């Protein structure tokens, strides 16, 4: 066999000259062009002056450049961008929408006019029509390597082109580098540094996370187990997306039901061109992986069907001239009736078909003004393989009618974003009788058998030089920075292969190339990775023949063939065997044995866990630990669809944090966001925080509450918490900390607040403001958290003990009949108070509001509306004052053992903080009296009274203050009748009895916003701050880390 450095053939397997050239240059197809409207250079952002031939434009990605900038272009074309990725990471796509002042990262055009998607983790935007060509280069958020020391960790910049914040300046030359007219400029997704395209390669290669370095959770300390679970599921993104949206005109009447059988499975497998169809047990898993509404909204119906979830490919397949679409249940599936290919060929090219073809065109074809209407132009459908022909997934090109086949070939390569030597390909006409290769030099129309007026269809084929042997690119997977130290700067090795070579032989040959000893080769697998619309992995069996797979892939789809890679990967997960599954929505208060019984009935004994890590009995939640990724994946897929006691179980795959890898003097921030608070503000904040921080440190409270986040951070010695929500959300997190804090190394982490609720009284006292309006920059919020000072918050235990009614004859009779006459149920309830405790008119108003919100929760989504409802209810109480009249006669209060002589009031308010009812101060300003100056950490409570609704209104407006009654640290209250009460905004009717308020041993550590903060000017939006040392120059050819 020839030497491994001579020749070969294709991106996943091919000639060495072809393989290596993918990493040289930018890959653009530039052509001279005259622009008839103001156009800006995508490289330097300057306007292009002149009358004719002002510059060049790429025929594939629409990159526009000056003549003077042509030789300095560094931005990669979309035709080669995927091949430049060193470690592919799938994006987490949002729902389709319209985005203002943003540009597509594929075709570089504006997004306003067309539906588009964006990544929830990074600043990647794309039209729906461009989604086939997106580059899977999202931020890599978990990069822990066991054999790497903390001091040797280098985190690289993750550069993203375009869509820079306004007023961004280049950190190198200090000039403006953003543009509102084109996709230009570079920005690091981690530290936020911005630079010109010609300047960013001169910056230091190491990223230090900018001004957020003190609260960032470094990726080098995070590990996510190697499981067949999408990253969206791990981050909880797919748990909050809507599954009800459907396209206009969509009904299930368009579908037909087919029974699943081995015959239909075999037919589907053969017609699809795949190696095998998933078995019936796998279908059960796939039922939950398919989200038809999302894919229909993406414009897949009649065009693109491609579902990739949990390593299963579930999509459009031709089965008896139908298009397979979506599983209905375990034994049936739905399929969409579509025209056959022959029907497509016989179409007359009417306006409907023209519109369909416009949808399939590449961005380069869309810029023309209906070129297909031109009689001198020919519209040709191009298929890149047999699979695209079966699924009717083609792209169109527009060429002159007398163009040679060579011109057709070059246009076809560009429309499929293939940057390669045209000599390696040829075009063939597709017909009912098969296909026929077209001569390169002859005009296309003279060779086509398709009659005039019909739309011709051609195949784009790879020209095999030697079908029996070639070369493969093998990438190092997993520990590529430690074990695979002999990899090339591009990260891969070229391996010569032949038709009969098995995957096991390839592993041994690649191991020698990477410098591994022979005895370690049994510890590795050869993994096939598909980068089409995400990142999908499949482990090759040791007897499979990779060269045959490559050749088959070329025949099925050239596009997918070029998006396929092969990795040498360790069989065992180097990050460790521990896999943590959080399970919620179980019954509360059961024993461990009862929880085990419930779970074993659902998953079976064969999938039993290794051990329970922790059980949160009062919340009905627990954490299962597995050591087998395959077993954990099966359990995850079973539990996410399981229902117990009419409640859907919640299951989450949790990441693992290695505390020893966290840099010294760094305090990672744990972020909790209540997305239901503040209308849509919670959703906007959680998206912003996921982009500014590591997304694994941001948790949506809709998915299991605070417990999953507290469990993930349990081993970190010191960290901070940011709670985005109202006072109720803050109390929820504090309550969870009380119950699970003893399990963590840091039992009382300091907590900051982003106020999203209606009252936000605790946030006001701690200077976080009356409420988040959406106008504040999330970056500034995080900076304020870093600069905030720690302060203690007193917390109080409120014990309610209703009177026992021994004279209830009915209850006594029931007790006698059940032999429980000598026992009585303990009705004592205990609450923890953080803000205030109200009795009487205040609690009665709060209860009415609470009941109205419970009845119609959708209407209570804004602070203004909520306060308006409060005012209406207060006016009603002014008319009807019977409920709380003469309250002083129905309660008795003792403070520190001394009874109080209560004045004539309708409400009693017991304050821990000097803010009540959305910012009012019932205690009033400081003055000379017998009371000391109150604080929220002095161990004292303030007791005030209000005489009615009018008095409450005057307190809110600042015209009056409440009646000061007493101060104390221990309260005993006797309720002589049933009275409305509320603790921190949670109201109810409390029966007559005793109420004790005493200081809790659970003190909270809060973060108070610094008072002397200088208001920042919004002129430098970058979160990057240059270090004291000068910037180190770096050659553009130097290694700059993963893209």
């Amino acid at each position: 066999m020839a030497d491994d450095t001579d020749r070969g053939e294709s991106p996943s397997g091919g000639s060495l000259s072809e393989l290596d050239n993918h990493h040289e240059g930018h890959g653009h197809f530039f052509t001279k062009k005259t622009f008839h409207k103001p156009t800006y250079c995508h490289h330097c952002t300057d306007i292009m002056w002149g009358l004719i031939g002002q510059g060049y434009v790429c025929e594939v990605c629409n990159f526009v450049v000056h003549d003077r900038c042509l030789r300095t272009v560094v931005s990669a074309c979309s035709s080669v961008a995927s091949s430049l990725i060193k470690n592919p990471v799938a994006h987490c796509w949002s729902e389709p929408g319209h985005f203002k002042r943003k540009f597509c990262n594929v075709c570089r055009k504006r997004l306003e006019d067309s539906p588009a998607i964006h990544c929830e983790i990074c600043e990647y935007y794309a039209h729906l029509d461009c989604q086939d060509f997106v580059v899977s280069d999202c931020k890599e958020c978990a990069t822990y390597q066991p054999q790497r020391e903390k001091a040797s960790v280098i985190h690289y910049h993750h550069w993203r082109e375009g869509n820079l914040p306004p007023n961004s300046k280049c950190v190198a030359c200090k000039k403006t580098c953003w543009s509102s007219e084109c996709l230009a400029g570079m920005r690091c997704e981690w530290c936020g540094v911005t630079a010109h395209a010609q300047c960013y390669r001169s910056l230091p290669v190491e990223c230090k996370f900018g001004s957020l370095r003190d609260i960032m959770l470094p990726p080098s300390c995070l590990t996510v187990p190697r499981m067949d679970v999408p990253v969206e599921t791990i981050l909880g993104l797919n748990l909050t997306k809507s599954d009800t949206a459907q396209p206009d005109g969509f009904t299930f009447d368009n579908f037909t039901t087919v029974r699943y059988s081995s015959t239909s499975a075999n037919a589907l497998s053969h017609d699809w061109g795949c190696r095998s169809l998933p078995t019936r047990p796998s279908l059960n898993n796939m039922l939950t992986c398919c989200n038809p509404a999302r894919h229909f909204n993406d414009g897949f119906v009649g065009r693109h069907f491609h579902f990739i979830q949990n390593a299963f490919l579930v999509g459009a397949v031709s089965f008896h001239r139908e298009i397979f679409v979506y599983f209905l249940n375990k034994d049936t599936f739905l399929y969409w009736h579509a025209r056959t290919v022959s029907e497509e060929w016989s179409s007359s090219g009417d306006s409907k078909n023209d519109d369909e073809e416009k949808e399939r065109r590449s961005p380069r074809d869309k810029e023309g003004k209906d070129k297909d209407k031109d009689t001198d132009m020919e519209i040709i459908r191009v298929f890149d393989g047999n699979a695209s022909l079966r699924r009717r997934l083609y792209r169109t090109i527009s060429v002159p009618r007398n163009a040679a086949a060579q011109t057709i070939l070059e246009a076809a390569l560009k429309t499929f974003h293939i940057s390669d030597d045209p000599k390696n390909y040829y075009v063939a006409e597709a017909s009912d009788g098969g296909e026929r290769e077209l001569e390169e030099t002859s005009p296309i129309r003279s060779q086509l058998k398709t009659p005039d007026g019909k739309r011709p269809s051609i195949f784009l084929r790879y020209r095999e030089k030697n079908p029996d042997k070639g070369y493969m690119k093998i990438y190092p997977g997993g520990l590529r920075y430690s074990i695979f130290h002999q990899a090339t700067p591009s990260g891969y090795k070229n391996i010569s292969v032949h038709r009969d070579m098995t995957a096991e032989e390839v592993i041994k040959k690649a191991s020698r190339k990477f410098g591994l000893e022979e005895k370690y080769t049994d510890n590795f697998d050869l993994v096939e990775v598909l980068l089409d619309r995400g990142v999908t992995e499949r482990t090759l069996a040791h007897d499979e023949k990779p060269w045959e797979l490559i050749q088959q892939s070329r025949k099925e789809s050239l596009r997918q063939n070029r998006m396929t890679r092969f990795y040498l990967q360790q069989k065992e997960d180097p990050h460790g065997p521990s896999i943590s599954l959080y399970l919620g929505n179980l019954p509360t208060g059961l024993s461990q044995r009862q929880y085990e019984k419930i779970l074993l009935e659902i998953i079976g004994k064969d999938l039993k866990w290794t051990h329970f890590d922790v059980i949160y009995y009062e919340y009905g939640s627990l954490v299962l630990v597995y050591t087998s990724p395959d077993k954990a994946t099966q359990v995850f897929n079973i539990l996410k669809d399981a229902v117990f006691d009419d409640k859907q179980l919640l299951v989450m795959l949790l990441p693992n944090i290695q505390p020893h890898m966290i840099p010294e003097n760094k305090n990672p921030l744990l972020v909790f966001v209540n997305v239901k608070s503040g209308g849509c503000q919670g959703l906007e904040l959680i998206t912003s925080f996921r982009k500014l921080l590591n997304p694994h440190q941001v948790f949506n409270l809709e998915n299991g509450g605070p417990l999953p986040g507290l469990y993930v951070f349990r081993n970190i010695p010191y960290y901070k918490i940011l709670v985005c929500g109202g006072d109720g959300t803050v109390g929820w997190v504090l309550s969870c900390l009380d119950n699970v804090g003893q399990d963590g190394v840091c039992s009382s982490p300091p907590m900051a607040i982003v106020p999203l609720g209606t009252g936000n009284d605790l946030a006001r006292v701690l200077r976080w403001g009356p409420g988040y309006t959406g106008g504040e920059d999330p970056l500034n919020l995080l900076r304020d958290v870093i600069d905030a000072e720690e302060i203690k918050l007193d917390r109080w235990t409120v014990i309610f003990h209703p009177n026992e009614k021994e004279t209830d004859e009915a209850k006594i009779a029931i007790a006698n009949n059940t032999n429980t006459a000598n026992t009585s149920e303990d009705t004592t309830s205990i609450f923890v108070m953080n803000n205030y405790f109200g009795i009487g008119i205040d609690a009665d108003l709060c209860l009415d509001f609470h009941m109205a919100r419970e009845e119609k929760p959708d209407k209570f989504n804004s602070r203004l509306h909520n306060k308006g409802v409060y005012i209406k209810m207060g006016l009603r109480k002014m008319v009807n004052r019977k409920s709380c009249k003469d309250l002083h006669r129905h309660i008795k209060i003792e403070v520190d053992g001394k009874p109080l002589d209560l004045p004539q009031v309708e409400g009693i308010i017991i304050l821990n903080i000097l803010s009540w009812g959305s910012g009012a101060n019932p205690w009033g300003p400081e003055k000379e009296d017998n009371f000391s100056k109150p604080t929220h950490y002095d161990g004292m409570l303030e007791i005030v009274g209000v005489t009615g609704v009018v008095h409450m209104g005057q307190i809110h407006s600042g015209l009056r203050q409440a009646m000061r009654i007493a101060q104390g640290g221990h309260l005993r209250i006797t309720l002589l009748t049933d009275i409305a009460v509320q603790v921190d905004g949670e109201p109810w009717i409390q029966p007559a009895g005793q109420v004790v308020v005493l200081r809790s041993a659970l003190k909270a550590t809060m973060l108070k916003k610094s008072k002397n903060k200088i208001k920042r000017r919004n002129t430098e939006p970058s979160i990057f701050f240059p270090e004291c040392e000068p910037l180190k120059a770096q050659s553009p050819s130097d290694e700059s880390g993963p893209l």
Side-chain angles (χ1 to χ4, degrees):
M1 182 174 294
D3 182 74
D4 288 358
T5 58
D6 292 341
R7 62 179 77 86
E9 302 175 6
S10 138
S12 53
S15 65
L16 285 180
S17 60
E18 173 191 337
L19 296 180
D20 294 335
N21 283 339
H22 283 294
H23 298 274
E24 298 176 2
H26 45 65
H28 292 291
F29 295 86
F30 282 125
T31 181
K32 194 79 170 179
K33 184 172 181 180
T34 298
F35 300 96
H36 302 288
K37 59 182 180 179
T39 307
Y40 294 79
C41 176
H42 294 186
H43 183 69
C44 67
T45 70
D46 291 340
I47 194 170
M48 307 184 74
W49 298 100
L51 297 178
I52 58 174
Q54 300 99 320
Y56 295 84
V57 62
C58 177
E59 294 183 313
V60 175
C61 68
N62 301 313
F63 188 95
V64 178
V65 63
H66 280 116
D67 194 357
R68 70 170 187 266
C69 298
L70 187 62
R71 295 185 179 275
T72 58
V73 171
V74 295
S75 302
C77 179
S78 58
S79 61
V80 299
S82 294
S83 64
L84 299 178
I85 306 173
K86 295 176 178 60
N87 191 28
V89 179
H91 293 287
C92 299
W93 297 118
S94 68
E95 297 292 338
H98 293 270
F99 304 96
K100 295 182 179 180
R101 297 179 294 277
K102 298 295 182 181
F103 294 87
C104 176
N105 284 91
V106 178
C107 71
R108 313 183 71 90
K109 294 189 175 181
R110 293 185 184 272
L111 298 180
E112 281 93 339
D113 300 331
S114 304
I117 53 177
H118 76 95
C119 179
E120 300 273 5
I121 307 302
C122 68
E123 291 290 339
Y124 197 104
Y125 293 82
H127 292 104
L128 283 179
D129 294 336
C130 298
Q131 197 175 0
D132 286 335
F133 302 104
V134 297
V135 182
S136 298
D137 63 341
C138 192
K139 292 195 301 187
E140 191 175 10
C141 303
T143 62
Y144 171 71
Q145 298 171 18
Q147 300 179 359
R148 189 167 58 174
E149 297 294 332
K150 179 169 62 176
S152 64
V153 172
I154 297 178
H155 188 82
Y156 297 100
H157 292 291
H158 186 91
W159 297 107
R160 176 74 64 220
E161 184 178 15
N163 296 315
L164 271 59
N167 304 318
S168 296
K169 293 184 178 180
C170 177
V171 72
C173 66
K174 310 303 181 185
K175 297 180 180 179
T176 300
C177 60
W178 76 288
S179 175
S180 61
E181 303 296 336
C182 61
L183 189 78
M186 306 295 290
R187 179 179 182 269
C188 175
E189 302 272 17
W190 287 108
C191 69
V193 58
T194 54
H196 291 105
Q198 63 267 32
C199 296
Y200 84 98
R201 291 195 176 185
S202 65
L203 301 179
V205 298
E206 184 177 4
C207 176
K208 297 185 178 180
F209 302 112
S211 61
L212 302 182
R213 62 174 67 88
D214 291 335
I215 59 173
M216 182 73 70
L217 186 65
S220 57
C221 75
L222 259 174
T223 172
V224 176
R226 187 190 296 165
M227 292 175 59
D228 292 332
V229 178
V231 66
E232 295 99 328
T233 303
I234 298 175
L235 294 173
L237 294 175
N238 60 345
L239 299 179
T240 56
K241 289 180 179 178
S242 173
D243 293 336
T244 59
Q246 294 177 350
D248 295 337
F250 169 79
T251 64
F252 278 95
D253 297 335
N254 298 331
F255 289 92
T256 307
T257 304
V258 174
R259 299 290 296 179
Y260 179 90
S261 65
S262 59
T263 304
S264 62
N266 293 334
L268 283 167
S269 177
H270 177 269
D271 196 31
W272 192 2
C274 58
R275 284 178 286 280
S276 63
L277 192 73
T279 59
R280 183 187 299 272
S282 299
L283 292 178
N284 300 339
N285 296 335
M286 283 189 285
L287 294 176
T288 59
C289 300
C290 300
N291 182 349
R294 175 180 176 184
H295 294 289
F296 292 154
N297 286 340
D298 284 355
F300 276 56
V301 174
R303 294 198 294 116
H304 303 284
F305 298 86
H306 194 65
F307 306 165
I308 300 180
Q309 294 286 351
N310 288 2
F312 293 115
L313 183 62
V314 186
V317 296
S318 174
F319 176 47
H320 294 304
R321 297 185 179 182
E322 307 293 343
I323 299 298
F324 173 72
V325 175
Y326 179 59
F327 290 102
L328 179 62
N329 55 40
K330 295 181 180 179
D331 299 312
T332 63
F333 54 79
L334 301 173
Y335 63 97
W336 179 280
H337 180 74
R339 293 173 296 182
T340 64
V341 174
S342 60
E343 289 174 333
E344 274 296 304
W345 283 336
S346 62
S347 65
S348 58
D350 56 15
S351 59
K352 178 179 179 180
N353 289 329
D354 288 345
D355 292 338
E356 291 178 356
E357 287 164 353
K358 289 178 185 177
E359 291 292 331
R360 303 169 201 268
R361 294 180 196 171
S362 67
R364 178 178 59 87
D365 295 321
K366 290 182 180 180
E367 69 176 359
K369 295 182 178 180
D370 294 333
K371 290 183 179 180
D372 55 321
K373 305 286 185 181
D374 194 338
T375 56
D376 294 333
M377 304 300 290
E378 185 80 56
I379 301 298
I380 300 177
R381 285 185 288 252
V382 184
F383 298 90
D384 72 333
N386 300 335
S388 61
L389 179 65
R390 285 192 299 269
R391 298 183 228 168
R392 297 173 53 253
L393 299 180
Y394 57 82
R395 303 187 72 82
T396 60
I397 58 175
S398 177
V399 296
R401 295 178 62 87
N402 59 350
Q406 181 67 22
T407 305
I408 307 297
L409 173 60
E410 294 175 358
L413 289 173
K414 294 171 184 176
T415 197
F416 279 103
H417 292 216
I418 297 177
S419 177
D420 199 0
D421 188 351
K423 294 180 180 178
N424 296 324
Y425 301 86
Y426 68 91
V427 290
E429 182 181 13
S431 61
D432 292 324
E435 58 182 272
R436 179 176 57 86
E437 181 177 354
L438 302 178
E439 296 180 7
E440 295 183 359
T441 57
S442 301
I444 184 69
R445 177 44 68 183
S446 63
Q447 299 186 66
L448 295 177
K449 295 183 178 181
T450 306
D452 291 339
K454 306 292 184 179
R455 296 297 170 87
S457 300
I458 64 171
F459 278 116
L460 177 62
R461 294 295 193 186
Y462 185 81
R463 190 183 300 280
E464 297 281 359
K465 295 182 177 65
N466 189 340
D468 296 326
K469 63 180 181 179
Y471 285 80
M472 295 174 57
K473 285 195 296 189
I474 305 297
Y475 289 80
L479 303 180
R480 59 190 181 281
Y481 295 108
S482 54
I483 290 180
F484 300 121
H485 57 276
Q486 296 188 21
T488 62
S490 300
Y492 63 87
K493 288 287 187 179
N494 294 316
I495 306 297
S496 62
V497 295
H498 55 81
R499 180 182 296 276
D500 298 326
M501 182 177 287
T502 62
E504 184 176 9
E505 295 174 311
V506 173
I507 292 173
K508 293 180 179 179
K509 196 167 186 178
S511 299
R512 291 193 297 269
K513 282 269 191 174
F514 284 114
L516 293 173
E517 298 181 17
E518 187 74 22
K519 60 181 179 180
Y520 294 124
T521 56
D522 294 337
N523 299 331
F524 290 85
D525 282 326
L526 189 62
V527 179
E528 182 184 29
V529 178
L530 178 63
L531 306 184
D532 189 19
R533 286 180 176 267
V535 180
T536 310
E537 297 184 4
R538 186 182 74 88
T539 301
L540 272 64
H542 278 205
D543 58 350
E544 285 192 73
K545 298 178 179 179
W547 185 246
E548 291 185 355
L549 297 179
I550 292 173
Q551 288 186 310
Q552 179 65 23
S553 175
R554 287 182 189 142
K555 294 178 182 178
E556 291 299 313
S557 173
L558 282 175
R559 171 69 184 169
Q560 287 197 3
N561 171 256
R562 297 183 61 84
M563 301 294 289
T564 302
R565 290 183 176 186
F566 292 92
Y567 280 81
L568 187 64
Q569 191 176 77
Q570 283 184 291
K571 292 181 180 179
E572 295 185 3
D573 191 345
H575 300 139
S578 179
I579 301 173
S580 301
L581 292 180
Y582 175 87
L583 187 61
N585 288 345
L586 289 167
T588 59
L590 301 184
S591 65
Q592 179 174 338
R593 186 178 296 273
Q594 290 173 311
Y595 286 127
E596 290 180 355
K597 183 179 179 181
I598 292 172
L599 293 178
L600 289 177
E601 290 178 354
I602 297 175
I603 65 177
K605 295 182 178 180
D606 295 338
L607 298 176
K608 188 176 180 179
W609 50 91
T610 303
H611 65 273
F612 281 1
D613 191 2
V614 63
I615 302 177
Y616 305 115
Y617 296 98
E618 59 272 28
Y619 298 101
S621 304
L622 51 87
V623 178
L624 303 176
V625 176
Y626 282 86
T627 56
S628 170
D630 294 336
K631 188 180 292 187
T633 302
Q634 294 181 58
V635 172
F636 180 88
N637 290 327
I638 293 173
L639 290 177
K640 69 180 182 180
D641 300 321
V643 177
F644 184 80
D645 198 17
D646 296 329
K647 293 175 67 177
Q648 176 79 41
L649 296 185
L650 172 71
V651 60
M652 298 175 64
L653 175 63
L654 301 179
N656 297 319
I657 296 179
Q658 309 297 328
H660 67 279
M661 294 298 293
I662 298 177
E664 296 179 1
N665 302 321
K666 305 302 180 187
N667 308 315
L669 182 67
L670 173 59
V671 182
F672 291 118
V673 182
N674 188 345
V675 296
K676 291 184 177 180
S677 298
C680 296
Q681 294 174 348
L683 287 173
E684 295 171 358
L685 271 178
I686 196 170
T687 300
S688 299
F689 287 149
R690 280 173 176 153
K691 293 181 178 181
L692 291 170
L693 301 170
N694 191 319
H696 290 292
Q697 66 185 111
V698 182
F699 289 83
N700 185 346
L701 290 177
E702 272 194 318
N703 303 332
L707 293 180
L710 295 175
Y711 175 83
V712 171
F713 275 62
R714 71 194 184 283
N715 293 326
I716 299 180
Y718 185 83
Y719 64 95
K720 298 179 180 180
I721 294 178
L722 176 62
V723 179
C724 305
D727 289 340
T729 305
V730 176
W732 184 16
V733 177
L734 288 174
S735 175
C736 289
L737 266 177
D738 297 338
N739 293 319
V740 306
Q742 63 273 14
D743 297 329
V745 177
C746 181
S747 59
S748 182
M751 183 182 302
I753 306 171
V754 175
L756 298 181
T758 302
N760 304 313
D761 290 296
L762 183 56
R764 294 171 190 263
V765 171
L766 299 176
R767 300 198 191 111
W768 294 107
Y772 178 76
T773 61
E776 299 91 334
D777 187 356
L779 173 59
N780 289 338
L781 295 178
L782 296 177
R783 288 177 179 170
D784 291 338
V785 173
I786 296 174
D787 299 331
E789 57 187 23
E790 293 187 14
I791 194 169
K792 294 296 182 180
L793 173 68
D794 288 335
R795 305 180 69 199
W796 302 84
T797 301
V798 185
I799 305 172
F800 295 90
H801 186 71
N803 294 332
E804 297 180 0
K805 299 179 180 180
E806 299 291 348
T807 58
D808 192 330
E809 297 180 358
K811 289 186 178 181
I812 294 176
I814 293 175
N816 290 332
N817 292 335
T818 56
N819 298 321
T820 59
N822 295 326
T823 62
S824 60
E825 182 181 357
D826 186 10
T827 57
T828 300
S829 55
I830 302 175
F831 295 85
V832 176
M833 181 189 75
N834 301 311
N835 298 351
Y836 38 73
F837 169 34
I839 305 173
I841 186 64
D842 164 52
D844 197 31
L845 266 175
C846 186
L847 180 61
D848 290 346
F849 176 83
H850 180 76
M851 293 176 64
R853 183 167 57 180
E854 288 291 318
E855 183 179 354
K856 297 179 180 179
D858 295 339
K859 290 186 176 182
F860 292 80
N861 54 8
S862 72
R863 297 187 188 97
L864 184 61
H865 176 268
N866 295 350
K867 291 179 180 179
V869 173
Y870 258 114
I871 293 174
K872 291 180 181 178
M873 291 179 175
L875 294 175
R876 293 173 188 168
K877 294 294 181 184
M878 291 176 62
V879 178
N880 182 14
R881 302 180 58 184
K882 296 180 181 179
S883 59
C884 300
K885 190 176 181 181
D886 299 330
L887 178 68
H888 60 288
R889 298 179 180 177
H890 301 300
I891 65 172
K892 297 179 180 179
I893 301 179
E894 293 181 7
V895 179
D896 296 333
K898 299 179 181 180
L900 294 180
D901 185 13
L902 295 177
Q904 184 174 353
V905 293
E906 293 188 12
I908 295 292
I909 305 172
I910 301 169
L911 301 169
N912 183 42
I913 62 175
L914 295 182
S915 180
W916 163 86
S918 299
N921 183 4
W923 188 257
E926 185 178 357
K927 61 182 180 181
E928 294 184 2
D929 53 16
N930 296 326
F931 301 108
S932 60
K933 182 181 179 180
T935 64
H936 49 268
Y937 48 85
D938 58 0
M940 302 283 283
L941 291 171
E942 286 69 46
I943 305 171
V944 298
V946 293
T947 58
V949 176
V950 175
H951 190 187
M952 291 173 60
Q954 291 172 333
I955 294 173
H956 275 284
S957 61
L959 298 177
R960 288 181 61 185
Q961 67 183 46
M963 301 171 61
R964 295 183 180 181
I965 298 176
Q967 279 182 316
H970 186 280
L971 279 65
R972 179 178 293 274
I973 305 171
T974 302
L975 304 180
L976 303 178
T977 185
D978 295 354
I979 299 177
V981 300
Q982 62 105 347
V983 176
D984 289 343
E986 296 296 328
W988 68 93
I989 298 295
Q990 178 63 29
Q994 298 291 321
V995 182
V996 178
V997 184
L998 65 157
R999 191 175 180 184
S1000 174
L1002 304 170
K1003 256 194 174 182
T1005 305
M1006 306 301 293
L1007 287 172
K1008 191 172 185 178
K1009 187 176 178 181
S1010 177
K1011 189 174 183 179
N1012 297 324
K1013 292 290 292 184
I1014 301 174
K1015 191 173 182 181
R1016 304 179 184 89
R1017 296 175 58 196
N1018 188 25
T1019 57
E1020 298 273 356
S1022 172
I1023 62 176
F1024 174 83
F1025 286 113
E1027 302 296 327
C1028 296
E1029 64 269 15
L1031 295 175
K1032 301 176 184 178
Q1034 176 193 351
S1035 170
S1037 61
D1038 289 346
E1039 180 67 28
S1040 59
L1043 290 178

